[in-house]
Amino acid sequence: MQKLLAKDKAEEKQKQGTKGVVYNIAETCCASISVNDLQELSEDKSLSPLDLSTKLTYGAIRGSERLRRTLANLYSVKTPTQLPSDNVLITPGAIQANFLLLYSLVGPGDHVICHYPTYQQLYSVPASLGAEVSLWKSKENDGWKLDLNELKELIRPNTKLIILNNPQNPTGAVIPQATLEEIVEIARSSSIFVHADEVYRPIFHSITPMEPEFPLSLLSLGYERTIVTGSMSKAYSLAGIRVGWIASRDRSVIEACASARHYTTISVSQLDDAIASYALDASCIHNLLKRNIQLAKTNLAILEKFIESYRWACGWVKPRAGTTAFVRFSKMGKPVDDVAFCEMLLERTGIMFVPGSQCFGEGEDFKGYVRIGVVQETHVLEEGLEVLKSFMEEGYEEVPVIRKK
């Protein structure tokens, strides 16, 4: 395998920037909760998240039957056929789910098309494995929508995989249901695999299931070569238990990923598996998601008010789902140097943003953009934005702009 490309720039930036952070407004997880919080959210107080008498062996290598069955049932909503629990593989977070899938599916001689902008792993890992990668670019001036004609033009005879991120990180955009259906039909005509990273599902704060554009999971569309990855980290507030998964209509994909995993982590911790199962149980999941979606709505309204007050300096396409917003900052019509902007904010105010051009951009893409997390604790966002207001009035004029070369 070729040497991996540069480390994930968003993750690396956040790790580098933790020193001096007072207001972490770069967080992508819904505000984290404890096991005690989970028990408070559960409607069945007789259930316990952990059985302390269980011997701590490796446990179920592919994940407990309870957890895999629960996830299979969630992915079988509004589908003609039930997804078998054996078509779900539990992994240590979605980051390993994505890596295992890509490692198992693509290599030299393959071509991959990746929805963009997105989490760097989704296009850097295929490239590091020797595949050619084409970026299928969504554009802000079109509401971050995807052009299906561009997809058709990108497809080659050796195209193996189309990668989607729905809801999208960093923009908070969604791929509408009709577009998803057309992507599947295009892929089906050439027997191309389609993978959707759905880690931000189902945090839909600005679109409802009653709207025609509301997207179902990719697995609901009746195409065998569809694969999704997800985790407990983003939508379910439990990043600390390190539980993710791969689910596919194609059992051979699951078998390939399971085989590859023998050389990495063997299994997920029984304790993590048990807490995930408890959180996704019918007695708990609805209250947990209600809490997180309401938090998203509350915080998004706060951020929107800030942006409206500073239209002279910033703009966005308002997110429809997920936990992030992609905000563009400028001065006199010119994009600011987003890296310098983020560094100045951190140094002078303790505010942490993620610079778009460094963490999501290729070449000159996304100069002036920053990613903001919108589903952390409300007081963190409120206090951080109050401090940012002071900086906008007193220090923003010092932020350099990007000058054309």
Side-chain angles (χ1 to χ4, degrees):
M1 186 174 70
Q2 293 181 8
K3 184 179 179 180
L4 282 173
L5 299 181
K7 295 177 182 178
D8 182 275
K9 290 173 278 190
E11 299 285 355
E12 196 67 15
K13 192 69 178 177
Q14 286 181 270
K15 289 174 187 173
Q16 291 171 356
T18 52
K19 185 178 180 181
V21 173
V22 181
Y23 310 101
N24 183 358
I25 315 182
E27 180 57 65
T28 58
C29 299
C30 291
S32 298
I33 57 175
S34 67
V35 174
N36 286 341
D37 294 330
L38 266 185
Q39 290 177 294
E40 287 298 315
L41 288 168
S42 177
E43 295 173 354
D44 187 345
K45 304 304 180 187
S46 69
L47 292 177
S48 175
L50 294 172
D51 179 356
L52 299 183
S53 67
T54 299
K55 300 291 186 183
L56 295 179
T57 65
Y58 283 122
I61 300 300
R62 296 191 177 201
S64 70
E65 174 61 25
R66 178 188 178 192
L67 180 54
R68 290 185 295 113
R69 184 176 63 250
T70 298
L71 287 164
N73 288 339
L74 290 173
Y75 283 118
S76 297
V77 174
K78 296 186 178 179
T79 61
T81 57
Q82 173 75 23
L83 183 72
S85 61
D86 285 343
N87 285 47
V88 180
L89 179 67
I90 307 303
T91 64
I95 193 167
Q96 197 199 60
N98 289 336
F99 188 89
L100 279 176
L101 175 64
L102 296 167
Y103 179 85
S104 302
L105 270 189
V106 303
D110 291 328
H111 175 239
V112 173
I113 298 170
C114 188
H115 183 191
Y116 178 85
T118 192
Y119 186 44
Q120 186 192 344
Q121 182 195 33
L122 297 177
Y123 54 89
S124 285
V125 170
S128 76
L129 294 168
E132 293 182 87
V133 179
S134 295
L135 300 177
W136 184 19
K137 298 185 177 184
S138 58
K139 301 174 183 65
E140 184 189 23
N141 60 13
D142 196 23
W144 300 113
K145 293 179 181 177
L146 289 166
D147 186 326
L148 290 164
N149 289 325
E150 287 184 13
L151 174 62
K152 293 174 184 176
E153 292 171 0
L154 288 172
I155 289 175
R156 305 175 188 173
N158 63 332
T159 301
K160 182 76 170 289
L161 177 66
I162 298 169
I163 301 173
L164 310 173
N165 184 201
N166 197 29
Q168 185 186 35
N169 170 22
T171 68
V174 300
I175 303 173
Q177 180 68 12
T179 303
L180 278 179
E181 291 171 357
E182 289 207 47
I183 292 169
V184 163
E185 289 309 307
I186 292 168
R188 192 198 304 268
S189 67
S190 298
S191 296
I192 298 169
F193 286 99
V194 187
H195 165 220
D197 180 329
E198 295 183 345
V199 294
Y200 295 98
R201 183 181 182 85
I203 302 299
F204 295 103
H205 46 70
S206 302
I207 183 172
T208 71
M210 305 305 295
E211 295 178 55
E213 290 194 337
F214 185 88
L216 300 177
S217 171
L218 184 71
L219 290 190
S220 70
L221 301 184
Y223 178 41
E224 184 172 301
R225 291 193 160 202
T226 49
I227 310 140
V228 301
T229 50
S231 84
M232 299 301 297
S233 300
K234 308 299 184 184
Y236 298 102
S237 300
L238 292 168
I241 65 172
R242 307 311 303 134
V243 171
W245 54 85
I246 306 167
S248 179
R249 291 283 171 188
D250 188 335
R251 179 70 179 278
S252 68
V253 170
I254 299 299
E255 295 305 314
C257 292
S259 295
R261 199 183 61 174
H262 290 325
Y263 298 98
T264 55
T265 56
I266 302 178
S267 64
V268 168
S269 156
Q270 285 194 69
L271 304 180
D272 293 351
D273 187 305
I275 294 171
S277 298
Y278 182 89
L280 296 179
D281 187 85
S283 65
C284 191
I285 186 174
H286 303 295
N287 285 340
L288 176 55
L289 288 176
K290 180 179 178 181
R291 175 249 191 198
N292 288 351
I293 291 171
Q294 184 54 56
L295 188 60
K297 289 180 177 180
T298 297
N299 289 2
L300 193 64
I302 293 168
L303 180 58
E304 183 173 27
K305 185 176 180 181
F306 171 87
I307 290 173
E308 289 300 322
S309 298
Y310 290 89
R311 278 289 179 186
W312 55 269
C314 58
W316 68 344
V317 174
K318 184 179 177 181
R320 304 184 77 185
T323 67
T324 62
F326 213 32
V327 181
R328 173 178 26 84
F329 283 82
S330 61
K331 289 171 63 177
M332 303 297 289
K334 295 179 180 179
V336 301
D337 182 330
D338 49 288
V339 176
F341 179 42
C342 290
E343 289 173 349
M344 290 173 68
L345 277 178
L346 183 60
E347 182 181 338
R348 298 188 187 186
T349 70
I351 293 171
M352 184 174 182
F353 285 160
V354 171
S357 67
Q358 186 177 47
C359 299
F360 297 97
E362 296 290 301
E364 295 297 306
D365 294 339
F366 312 125
K367 297 289 188 183
Y369 288 81
V370 300
R371 187 186 69 184
I372 300 175
V374 292
V375 200
Q376 67 279 87
E377 298 287 354
T378 298
H379 74 88
V380 175
L381 183 66
E382 287 181 320
E383 293 167 13
L385 290 180
E386 282 301 314
V387 173
L388 180 58
K389 288 178 183 178
S390 297
F391 179 86
M392 297 299 291
E393 301 298 336
E394 300 169 9
Y396 189 66
E397 63 182 22
E398 299 175 43
V399 178
V401 296
I402 298 293
R403 301 191 182 279
K404 291 184 179 180
K405 295 179 180 179

